[in-house]
Amino acid sequence: MIKIKTMAEINAMRDASKIVKDTLDLIESKIQVGMTTKELDTIAHDYIISVGGYPACLGYYGFPASTCISVEEMVVHGIPSDDVVIKDGQIVSVDITALYNGFHGDAARTFMVGNVSSEKRKLVEVTKECFFKGLDAVGIGAPIGNIGHAIQTHAESNGFSVVRDFVGHGIGVDMHEDPNIPNFGHKGTGIRLKEGMVICIEPMINMGTHKLDFLSDGWGVVTRDRLPSAHYENTVAITEDGVEVLTL
Ligand code: MF3
Ligand code: CO
Ligand code: CO
């Protein structure tokens, strides 16, 4: 069931989304070679709590940390750890969801740390571009398949592949609501977007195969060929005034 939001509810989501954006900006200012992903998680956790929010990943289906931090070939849902030290040239995806006044905001960025190869730099840039190609396909009455089609076309024309096993989603009182927002698909297919919908568009783009392996910790997801993967996500509201990205 798709839960349509009132303007007042979208305003509440703007506050949760602002917390997510500010937390990602804080992480971007702190991230450097030699830090552990657990240190970054603690910075995010403490910031979100300090502004009266809750880091919604913490305890979500038992997830044991406040953020998901996925290094290099890890696609999503990396558990921050004292044992994962960030090395020069790595790409680090940080995905943060905050709950504030009963509503969620959700966004992810892939940060490039130190001297990143031009190949990986391109992967990170194309993944961000994929989001904006998807965003261009958003509007009242637009079929959801147009979003995935735009993302897939841009990723594949740059020689990369699109993750199939995880998708974007509606968001609101729950972190994950209907509808699913795939990063692949065909123009003109799927349900049509309506005023009052709030969705997360989150391309996960791999340098090599789109196939994945699941780690034995029950959470981490890595590329099957262990080539790098990037992630870029924002919370997007469809209102009477148009399409608004809440986490930018
Ligand atoms: N923030 C993620 C998303 O983009 C979900 C986090 S999974 C969790 O949908 F278990 F860490 F909460
Ligand atoms: Co997310
Ligand atoms: Co999401």
Side-chain angles (χ1 to χ4, degrees):
M1 196 243 326
I2 296 173
K3 290 185 231 163
I4 296 297
K5 278 87 187 170
T6 64
M7 212 53 202
E9 289 171 330
I10 290 175
N11 285 335
M13 296 192 70
R14 195 174 277 120
D15 295 338
S17 296
K18 170 84 164 58
I19 293 174
V20 172
K21 180 217 177 323
D22 289 345
T23 310
L24 285 166
D25 287 348
L26 178 64
I27 294 294
E28 183 171 27
S29 75
K30 300 272 182 192
I31 193 168
Q32 54 174 308
V33 174
M35 284 181 98
T36 67
T37 55
K38 180 69 192 176
E39 287 176 280
L40 292 174
D41 184 71
T42 301
I43 290 168
H45 174 95
D46 292 351
Y47 178 75
I48 294 168
I49 295 291
S50 78
V51 294
Y54 181 78
C57 291
L58 185 60
Y60 187 79
Y61 289 96
F63 189 78
S66 296
T67 63
C68 298
I69 307 186
S70 308
V71 178
E72 291 281 298
E73 71 276 11
M74 198 166 293
V75 178
V76 286
H77 302 165
I79 301 175
S81 165
D82 291 324
D83 299 330
V84 179
V85 180
I86 297 168
K87 300 186 190 71
D88 183 49
Q90 286 188 321
I91 59 171
V92 180
S93 300
V94 178
D95 188 354
I96 296 177
T97 311
L99 175 65
Y100 185 75
N101 280 344
F103 287 90
H104 291 83
D106 183 9
R109 303 283 180 263
T110 298
F111 298 115
M112 299 184 273
V113 185
N115 239 320
V116 173
S117 71
S118 57
E119 234 186 335
K120 282 195 276 188
R121 211 164 264 284
K122 183 182 169 200
L123 175 71
V124 171
E125 282 159 10
V126 167
T127 302
K128 181 176 178 179
E129 288 163 11
C130 280
F131 167 82
F132 287 97
K133 298 279 181 188
L135 183 67
D136 283 343
V138 175
I140 293 171
I144 278 174
N146 291 10
I147 300 173
H149 176 77
I151 290 171
Q152 182 176 16
T153 301
H154 190 64
E156 292 179 354
S157 67
N158 278 282
F160 300 136
S161 72
V162 170
V163 169
R164 314 283 202 270
D165 302 279
F166 295 92
V167 295
H169 50 91
I171 184 167
V173 169
D174 294 308
M175 184 193 305
H176 294 127
E177 297 185 359
D178 289 337
N180 280 345
I181 311 287
N183 297 302
F184 54 94
H186 298 283
K187 259 187 184 166
T189 62
I191 60 139
R192 287 172 186 277
L193 296 167
K194 277 208 223 162
E195 186 182 320
M197 287 188 185
V198 184
I199 58 173
C200 289
I201 302 175
E202 51 177 309
M204 289 151 267
I205 307 298
N206 295 352
M207 192 174 278
T209 181
H210 67 82
K211 293 193 181 135
L212 308 177
D213 283 335
F214 295 80
L215 296 188
S216 57
D217 67 12
W219 285 100
V221 177
V222 294
T223 56
R224 184 153 295 171
D225 56 15
R226 304 299 191 266
L227 288 174
S229 180
H231 188 195
Y232 188 91
E233 172 178 33
N234 283 304
T235 299
V236 176
I238 298 145
T239 75
E240 55 191 11
D241 302 327
V243 177
E244 189 186 343
V245 182
L246 304 182
T247 43
L248 274 180

